[in-house]
Amino acid sequence: MSIEFGWWAKAAETGKFQINVSIHGGNITWSRKQGHHTPWEPYGPPTEADWDRLIAEAERRVPRRLISPRQFEAIKRLRP
């Protein structure tokens, strides 16, 4: 299973940035990018709001058959 999710977030001290979550083989990688010409850097630890957003994004993909219900359950099990 190799799935990527991405969305934009905003923080008061740093401004707007992009979050990318990559799930591959039961491992999850969180990264962030701020600005067009900046590299991806590790993001963490993810907040409860970040986990809620990830679960919501995955849940929206199940009815459209972009991910299977089994993959969705695996993503939910990754949450601490």
Side-chain angles (χ1 to χ4, degrees), residues 25-72:
N27 297 320
I28 188 165
T29 305
W30 294 77
S31 54
R32 72 179 294 245
K33 180 178 177 180
Q34 185 166 357
H36 186 65
H37 297 290
T38 59
W40 287 98
E41 55 190 37
Y43 175 69
T47 63
E48 287 298 316
D50 293 331
W51 277 105
D52 292 340
R53 179 72 186 260
L54 175 63
I55 298 298
E57 292 286 330
E59 193 172 29
R60 288 192 329 198
R61 293 182 186 193
V62 173
R64 299 181 345 211
R65 296 185 179 161
L66 296 174
I67 64 172
S68 70
R70 186 175 178 188
Q71 290 172 322
F72 178 62

Side-chain angles (χ1 to χ4, degrees), residues 4-43:
E4 286 195 8
F5 298 92
W7 63 87
W8 287 89
K10 190 181 274 189
E13 61 277 354
T14 59
K16 192 174 177 182
F17 57 94
Q18 189 175 4
I19 296 176
N20 185 22
V21 180
S22 178
I23 301 169
H24 183 74
N27 297 320
I28 188 165
T29 305
W30 294 77
S31 54
R32 72 179 294 245
K33 180 178 177 180
Q34 185 166 357
H36 186 65
H37 297 290
T38 59
W40 287 98
E41 55 190 37
Y43 175 69

